[in-house]
Amino acid sequence: MIESIINRVSCGRLESPAPSKEHLELMFKAALRAPDHKGQKPWEYIVFEGEKALSRFGDYLLQASLKDNPNLDEDKQEKIKNKPHRAPMVVVAVAKAKNNPKVPHVEEILSAGAGVQNLILGAYDLGYGAYWRTGSLAFNDHMKQPLGLDFEDTIVGFIYLGTPSVELKSKPVPEVDDFVRWG
Ligand SMILES: Cc1cc2nc3c(=O)[nH]c(=O)nc-3n(C[C@H](O)[C@H](O)[C@H](O)COP(=O)(O)O)c2cc1C
């Protein structure tokens, strides 16, 4: 378990199969055990799997981009529309705003981020590849309506999931002493 955490790497080269139903269930169970102030469960995960759903998500990205910049050239539009097709599955991870005066929204975002980390660790442990992306479209408010989100919610990631099409290479772990000191 600790080895999976230390060795995890992202993988942007992803192909089918996407995580199976059973594996996805396990990954989400892991995500739903993220630390959570006041037990609010401020999370939502929206799964897009397969050509049709990924194209629909690509349309959301394009429409949101066009609202910000109606003069996007054809090439750029095509590129944006095709982004989700870089993997057989994309999960949009959301920090829901529960508007609890005791829990600032930044804590909900942190909790959702911890959930995403559990999700991608679960994916790695089960032999899948994962890539956590955001980019300007995650912060584009025009993404919220098509995704059925409230205005105060925050998209914390577009998580690309699938089977690595390349061999995963481990990365050097930073020196602990460079980042940790005893107070
Ligand atoms: C909140 C968040 C957003 C990210 N957004 C992007 C992104 O939009 N594009 C990208 O190439 N990498 C992004 N990354 C970084 C990758 O997910 C990945 O962590 C990085 O490429 C390092 O690879 P590693 O996880 O194997 O160390 C993001 C990471 C985090 C935590």
Side-chain angles (χ1 to χ4, degrees):
M1 153 75 173
I2 190 83
E3 288 303 315
S4 266
I5 298 175
I6 293 170
N7 292 331
R8 180 208 63 82
V9 284
S10 300
C11 180
R13 304 240 173 146
L14 299 166
E15 61 187 13
S16 291
S20 66
K21 202 167 172 289
E22 292 72 23
H23 284 158
L24 198 61
E25 175 91 6
L26 288 172
M27 288 156 53
F28 280 128
K29 279 188 174 174
L32 299 176
R33 282 300 304 125
D36 171 20
H37 193 181
K38 297 278 179 204
Q40 301 191 107
K41 303 183 177 51
W43 320 298
E44 188 165 39
Y45 296 95
I46 307 162
V47 182
F48 293 89
E49 181 181 14
E51 291 301 304
K52 219 168 137 193
L54 292 168
S55 295
R56 194 165 59 246
F57 182 51
D59 279 340
Y60 299 164
L61 296 174
L62 178 58
Q63 294 313 317
S65 305
L66 285 170
K67 281 186 178 136
D68 268 2
N69 182 3
N71 301 319
L72 275 179
D73 68 49
E74 291 275 319
D75 273 4
K76 187 77 185 150
Q77 290 193 32
E78 203 58 21
K79 218 172 142 199
I80 293 169
K81 211 170 68 177
N82 287 326
K83 276 176 190 276
H85 292 279
R86 290 178 287 189
M89 177 183 282
V90 178
V91 172
V92 180
V94 179
K96 296 293 291 178
K98 298 286 181 174
N99 299 311
N100 180 334
K102 297 236 162 70
V103 184
H105 189 49
V106 65
E107 293 192 355
E108 296 169 324
I109 294 170
L110 289 167
S111 178
V116 171
Q117 177 70 355
N118 282 3
L119 184 81
I120 66 177
L121 281 170
Y124 178 80
D125 194 58
L126 292 166
Y128 297 102
Y131 206 106
W132 184 347
R133 297 180 197 274
T134 49
S136 60
L137 280 160
F139 307 109
N140 182 322
D141 286 335
H142 300 298
M143 287 299 293
K144 291 180 179 167
Q145 191 264 334
L147 288 169
L149 303 180
D150 294 325
F151 190 74
E152 317 88 72
D153 297 339
T154 301
I155 294 171
V156 299
F158 301 136
I159 317 305
Y160 287 65
L161 293 164
T163 300
S165 63
V166 291
E167 196 190 333
L168 294 187
K169 295 210 174 83
S170 59
K171 290 184 178 172
V173 178
E175 283 298 325
V176 171
D177 287 346
D178 290 345
F179 294 88
V180 180
R181 62 190 172 90
W182 296 87

